[in-house]
Amino acid sequence: MKKLTLVALLLILALTVAACGQTATSVPTMTATNTTAATTAATTTKPAEASVESVVKALVANMPDHIYKIAEKEFVDKVKAGESLVILDIRGAADYEKGHVKGAVNIPWGTAISDNLAKIPQDKDVFVYCYTGQTAGQAVITLNAAGIKARSVNLGWNFGISKVEGVADVTETTANTLPDKTYPVNANVAKAVADYYGKMVQITDKYKNYKISEADLKAAIDAKEDIVILSVRKAEDYQKGHIPGAINIPFGKAMLNDLSTLPKDKKIVVYCYTGQTAGQAVASLRLLGYDAVSLNGGAGMPSNAPQGWVNAGFELVTGTAEASVESVVKALVANMPDHIYKIAEKEFVDKVKAGESLVILDIRGAADYEKGHVKGAVNIPWGTAISDNLAKIPQDKDVFVYCYTGQTAGQAVITLNAAGIKARSVNLGWNFGISKVEGVADVTETTANTLPDKTYPVNANVAKAVADYYGKMVQITDKYKNYKISEADLKAAIDAKEDIVILSVRKAEDYQKGHIPGAINIPFGKAMLNDLSALPKDKKIVVYCYTGQTAGQAVASLRLLGYDAVSLNGGAGMPSNAPQGWVNAGFELVTGTAEASVESVVKALVANMPDHIYKIAEKEFVDKVKAGESLVILDIRGAADYEKGHVKGAVNIPWGTAISDNLAKIPQDKDVFVYCYTGQTAGQAVITLNAAGIKARSVNLGWNFGISKVEGVADVTETTANTLPDKTYPVNANVAKAVADYYGKMVQITDKYKNYKISEADLKAAIDAKEDIVILSVRKAEDYQKGHIPGAINIPFGKAMLNDLSALPKDKKIVVYCYTGQTAGQAVASLRLLGYDAVSLNGGAGMPSNAPQGWVNAGFELVTG
């Protein structure tokens, strides 16, 4: 069920090794002195008043590998080893008194947790256990939100700890207390956690403790109560069996992407395996405004019997739930298997030859089926026959679908999978694929086959949507027949400048090598959901891939989600499907950018971010110049500094409107390298350039801290002025206007935000004055945790950061910082082009390499609160 955007939290998590002020080959760390200062400050500096939403989303998006849990034996071993731990026993006082883990402090489940929130240490690992692990799962989210490094012990006391061999050696009855010290807690979080437990203790019905019993859930299902049942188990386990009616959003970092598919006006019952991760999900959801509770004991495992759905005697089903079509389709994309719902023609034929038990659907016309088809194939001609037979197609076997070229089968497999059928399309269909496989004649027959006389349950919402899909399709007789468009008709539409969107779902590198004029790029795969918000629902969207097959899948997915999408016949075209496809029809691909929206262009830049993250290490750059590589180099420093000396071949386009004025003159067919003084404004520049179709990268640390420090740079330094070639390149008109606005507005700013930047001293003053700004760290999560600017939230720089944009306000100033300012510059340009009021912190957090610039280099402290 993974969605595209939870879009939520959306700004990501990744930052490759070459983050902000770092080189591409090393990851500098803060000095020991600064780290010490940050740690000390944690006990005295008030933490950020970040929103609860941003805090919770960060917890999920930056989820560590231990997913805020610890195995019972590992926990007991730590206690046996005498490690310095903080242990919270949140069982009732009476059970705590009977015996508890050595050193454990009793803070009974409920308001005692929120009452003691500021007393729980933030500078040590905290381990929490309850009876079964379930309420501890909720507790660890509320604690982590408050800055406490908490993990819950697997299966709690009853099913976990008490079963560990030797636990008696670390069990005591002596009562323990927390140290006499308080820690700073975000006021927004403190209030939310107090509300969380305050409201919980008032609940006395079947949802007591934000849980529901197995029997009560079964009764609610039987009574057809209007609730949402959410499985957070792995996709493969959901497919093997799930509670009737459940939808699936697997637990983990990515689950934020799907929150927008959940309603805030309905009860959401969450379940996992034994209840523990569901507890975490419930706490996260409730803090985000959802009315969520967890199922007692989860689906149930042998380890937690008699608790849990199956342990209570209730069955799991494999039929689909009455989930919304949107959630089902998004789950198909987000949980896309490695085979991407396809199979190679030879592999398919080999399976047939081997006599594997397959269900094969031939969706070609009846006449062609009668002439010859794959052995065992059943003819369900493309169209309403598919929706008419939806409930008759087996859900308990692999289903393989082929058409003529693979394209309509691509559409079919999405509609079938949405209905709970494990369908894959055969690559290139009968004409270009199957019929070309050696030995296929041995598995070709003319005997007609039929489906077994059995029906399967199909989600009523999906069944209706699929019936509408094919019902509407067969009524189309114009150029969009079969939800497709011919190569010639698309060419004519482009020439006539029809108001359509052309969407390439090919890989980013192939899009860059050449694409259909005007096309935007959202590569096919799990991540494409992240970019759906860039697509309009009021325009025709023409989708193309390589030969049409994955575009078919994209079209079906988009149409079921409410978009007016069709696919291009034959896709871009490959030798394997000639004469079909754009290039096979004699039309050209281009490398210029399309007239896509600025939003879609910028999001594509981030989502398709290359490993070099639009940067190059200073030494690598200088080595390229020394080697005489054919580069375009832009020196965006002031003219006077350029005249004193610059990299050989560099052209001076001073930072400001000169960049937008020269946008169409900068080559799009060569690599372009940009440097400024420190890397920060070059970071902004590369985003505006890449948005215009220019393959630009900024040089790490700029001239002052980077290039000028490289050994031998004098050999490639000159004072001769250089100019751009006398040639212009096509630039997306929307982007050209946005970039002109970007620099035009920037040069008018004369206050502390000049150049879309803020100084270290001005930011410190703003924090002290409690100005209503958002401070955004785009450093790695682990570095943020080690220390960050007071009040900062964290959205690591990288492809995934788009997922978190919704957590940022458009009506407040956003101050972005990284390590030295360079990737923050990229983030600022991206955000501003997307409508946010963003600026970057001069010098970032600060590194030895860019001293005296940067927060710590200016003498200010990082905090861990």
Side-chain angles (χ1 to χ4, degrees):
M1 153 136 296
K2 248 149 206 188
K3 191 225 150 120
L4 72 93
T5 205
L6 186 198
V7 101
L9 202 205
L10 200 95
L11 276 94
I12 126 186
L13 237 144
L15 229 218
T16 63
V17 205
C20 211
Q22 304 163 301
T23 67
T25 56
S26 64
V27 182
T29 56
M30 303 305 293
T31 63
T33 301
N34 289 331
T35 302
T36 302
T39 302
T40 303
T43 62
T44 58
T45 305
K46 187 176 181 180
E49 301 308 291
S51 70
V52 174
E53 179 184 23
S54 63
V55 170
V56 174
K57 286 181 175 179
L59 287 181
V60 179
N62 301 329
M63 186 180 290
D65 292 339
H66 59 56
I67 60 170
Y68 305 121
K69 287 178 58 178
I70 186 171
E72 57 271 41
K73 183 178 184 305
E74 182 185 353
F75 167 69
V76 171
D77 286 346
K78 283 180 175 287
V79 180
K80 287 181 180 178
E83 292 188 23
S84 179
L85 314 173
V86 176
I87 305 170
L88 304 183
D89 182 326
I90 63 170
R91 297 177 302 159
D95 291 308
Y96 173 81
E97 290 169 6
K98 291 175 184 174
H100 52 265
V101 173
K102 189 174 181 181
V105 177
N106 188 216
I107 302 183
W109 170 247
T111 53
I113 296 176
S114 48
D115 291 344
N116 286 279
L117 202 60
K119 300 176 185 178
I120 301 169
Q122 295 177 12
D123 51 0
K124 288 187 178 181
D125 291 328
V126 175
F127 297 93
V128 186
Y129 67 86
C130 58
Y131 292 97
T132 65
Q134 197 155 358
T135 51
Q138 290 185 51
V140 293
I141 292 298
T142 60
L143 296 179
N144 273 281
I148 298 159
K149 295 174 288 186
R151 295 162 67 179
S152 65
V153 183
N154 190 51
L155 292 170
W157 177 272
N158 292 2
F159 300 128
I161 298 168
S162 66
K163 309 291 186 183
V164 176
E165 186 175 352
V167 69
D169 299 332
V170 289
T171 299
E172 65 177 2
T173 56
T174 305
N176 304 290
T177 57
L178 291 170
D180 187 17
K181 180 179 178 181
T182 59
Y183 297 80
V185 178
N186 175 323
N188 297 325
V189 171
K191 181 179 184 304
V193 173
D195 288 346
Y196 187 94
Y197 292 105
K199 292 176 181 176
M200 185 195 75
V201 296
Q202 295 173 17
I203 299 173
T204 56
D205 63 7
K206 64 183 178 183
Y207 296 118
K208 183 178 179 181
N209 291 316
Y210 297 142
K211 291 170 59 179
I212 185 174
S213 72
E214 304 90 331
D216 281 336
L217 177 58
K218 180 65 167 62
I221 293 171
D222 292 342
K224 296 185 178 180
E225 289 186 16
D226 189 18
I227 58 176
V228 174
I229 305 174
L230 171 61
S231 166
V232 293
R233 298 195 304 160
K234 292 180 181 177
E236 54 266 36
D237 293 320
Y238 171 84
Q239 291 163 354
K240 289 174 185 173
H242 51 267
I243 292 175
I247 59 176
N248 185 219
I249 300 178
F251 185 81
K253 295 179 182 179
M255 67 184 178
L256 281 175
N257 296 333
D258 302 318
L259 291 195
S260 63
T261 63
L262 298 177
K264 286 195 172 180
D265 59 350
K266 292 184 181 181
K267 183 76 70 179
I268 301 171
V269 178
V270 188
Y271 76 93
C272 58
Y273 296 89
T274 63
Q276 201 153 352
T277 49
Q280 287 192 37
V282 161
S284 302
L285 287 170
R286 293 197 74 87
L287 290 173
L288 290 171
Y290 296 86
D291 182 14
V293 298
S294 67
L295 170 64
N296 187 59
M301 303 284 288
S303 57
N304 76 325
Q307 290 191 352
W309 186 260
V310 295
N311 293 328
F314 303 127
E315 293 184 349
L316 299 179
V317 299
T318 54
T320 55
E322 300 308 293
S324 70
V325 175
E326 179 185 23
S327 63
V328 170
V329 174
K330 286 182 176 177
L332 287 181
V333 178
N335 300 326
M336 188 180 290
D338 292 339
H339 58 58
I340 60 170
Y341 306 121
K342 287 177 59 178
I343 186 171
E345 57 270 41
K346 184 178 183 305
E347 182 185 354
F348 167 68
V349 171
D350 286 346
K351 283 180 174 286
V352 180
K353 287 180 180 177
E356 292 188 24
S357 178
L358 314 173
V359 176
I360 305 170
L361 304 183
D362 182 327
I363 63 171
R364 297 177 300 159
D368 291 309
Y369 173 82
E370 291 169 5
K371 290 175 185 175
H373 52 264
V374 173
K375 189 174 181 180
V378 177
N379 188 217
I380 301 183
W382 170 246
T384 53
I386 296 175
S387 47
D388 291 343
N389 286 279
L390 202 59
K392 300 176 185 177
I393 301 169
Q395 296 177 11
D396 50 2
K397 288 186 178 181
D398 292 327
V399 175
F400 297 93
V401 186
Y402 67 86
C403 59
Y404 293 98
T405 64
Q407 197 155 357
T408 51
Q411 290 185 52
V413 293
I414 292 298
T415 60
L416 296 178
N417 274 282
I421 298 159
K422 295 174 287 186
R424 294 162 67 180
S425 65
V426 183
N427 190 51
L428 293 170
W430 177 271
N431 292 3
F432 300 128
I434 297 169
S435 66
K436 308 291 186 184
V437 176
E438 186 175 352
V440 70
D442 299 333
V443 289
T444 300
E445 65 176 2
T446 55
T447 306
N449 304 291
T450 57
L451 291 170
D453 187 17
K454 180 180 177 181
T455 58
Y456 298 80
V458 177
N459 175 325
N461 298 324
V462 170
K464 181 180 184 304
V466 173
D468 288 346
Y469 186 95
Y470 291 106
K472 291 176 181 176
M473 187 195 73
V474 296
Q475 296 172 16
I476 299 172
T477 57
D478 63 7
K479 64 183 178 183
Y480 297 117
K481 184 178 179 181
N482 291 318
Y483 297 140
K484 291 170 58 180
I485 185 174
S486 72
E487 304 89 330
D489 281 336
L490 177 58
K491 181 64 167 63
I494 293 171
D495 292 343
K497 297 185 178 180
E498 289 186 15
D499 189 17
I500 59 175
V501 174
I502 304 174
L503 172 62
S504 166
V505 294
R506 298 195 304 160
K507 292 180 181 177
E509 55 266 36
D510 293 320
Y511 171 84
Q512 290 163 354
K513 290 175 184 173
H515 51 265
I516 293 174
I520 61 174
N521 185 219
I522 300 178
F524 185 80
K526 296 180 182 181
M528 66 184 178
L529 282 175
N530 295 332
D531 300 317
L532 291 194
S533 62
L535 298 177
K537 286 196 172 179
D538 59 351
K539 292 184 181 181
K540 184 76 69 178
I541 301 171
V542 178
V543 187
Y544 76 92
C545 58
Y546 296 89
T547 63
Q549 201 153 352
T550 49
Q553 287 191 38
V555 161
S557 302
L558 287 170
R559 293 196 74 87
L560 290 173
L561 290 172
Y563 296 87
D564 182 13
V566 298
S567 66
L568 170 64
N569 186 60
M574 303 284 287
S576 56
N577 76 324
Q580 291 190 351
W582 186 259
V583 294
N584 293 328
F587 303 127
E588 293 183 350
L589 299 178
V590 299
T591 54
T593 55
E595 300 306 293
S597 69
V598 174
E599 179 184 23
S600 63
V601 170
V602 174
K603 286 184 174 179
L605 287 181
V606 179
N608 300 326
M609 186 180 291
D611 292 339
H612 59 57
I613 59 169
Y614 306 121
K615 285 178 59 180
I616 186 171
E618 56 270 41
K619 184 179 183 305
E620 182 186 354
F621 167 68
V622 171
D623 286 345
K624 284 180 174 286
V625 180
K626 286 180 180 178
E629 292 188 24
S630 179
L631 314 173
V632 176
I633 305 171
L634 304 183
D635 182 326
I636 63 171
R637 298 177 301 160
D641 291 308
Y642 173 81
E643 290 169 5
K644 292 175 185 175
H646 52 264
V647 173
K648 189 175 181 181
V651 177
N652 188 217
I653 302 183
W655 170 247
T657 53
I659 295 176
S660 47
D661 291 344
N662 285 279
L663 202 59
K665 300 175 185 177
I666 301 169
Q668 295 177 12
D669 51 2
K670 288 185 178 182
D671 291 328
V672 175
F673 297 93
V674 186
Y675 67 87
C676 60
Y677 292 97
T678 65
Q680 197 155 358
T681 51
Q684 291 185 52
V686 294
I687 292 299
T688 60
L689 296 178
N690 274 281
I694 298 159
K695 295 174 287 187
R697 295 162 67 179
S698 64
V699 183
N700 191 52
L701 292 170
W703 177 270
N704 292 1
F705 300 128
I707 297 169
S708 66
K709 308 292 187 184
V710 176
E711 186 175 354
V713 70
D715 299 333
V716 290
T717 300
E718 65 177 3
T719 56
T720 306
N722 304 290
T723 57
L724 291 170
D726 187 18
K727 180 180 177 180
T728 58
Y729 297 80
V731 178
N732 175 326
N734 298 324
V735 170
K737 181 179 183 304
V739 173
D741 287 346
Y742 186 94
Y743 291 106
K745 292 176 181 175
M746 186 195 75
V747 296
Q748 295 171 16
I749 299 172
T750 57
D751 64 6
K752 64 183 178 183
Y753 297 117
K754 183 178 179 181
N755 291 317
Y756 297 141
K757 291 170 59 179
I758 184 174
S759 72
E760 303 89 332
D762 281 336
L763 177 58
K764 180 65 167 62
I767 293 171
D768 292 343
K770 297 185 179 180
E771 288 187 15
D772 190 17
I773 58 175
V774 174
I775 305 174
L776 171 62
S777 165
V778 294
R779 299 194 304 160
K780 292 181 180 178
E782 55 265 37
D783 292 321
Y784 171 84
Q785 291 163 355
K786 289 175 185 173
H788 52 265
I789 293 174
I793 61 174
N794 185 221
I795 298 176
F797 184 80
K799 296 180 181 179
M801 66 185 176
L802 282 175
N803 296 333
D804 302 318
L805 292 194
S806 63
L808 298 176
K810 286 197 172 178
D811 59 351
K812 293 184 181 182
K813 183 76 69 179
I814 301 171
V815 178
V816 187
Y817 76 92
C818 58
Y819 296 87
T820 64
Q822 201 154 352
T823 47
Q826 287 191 37
V828 162
S830 301
L831 288 170
R832 293 197 75 87
L833 290 172
L834 290 172
Y836 296 87
D837 182 13
V839 298
S840 66
L841 170 64
N842 186 59
M847 303 289 287
S849 57
N850 76 323
Q853 291 191 351
W855 187 259
V856 295
N857 293 328
F860 303 126
E861 292 181 344
L862 300 178
V863 300
T864 55

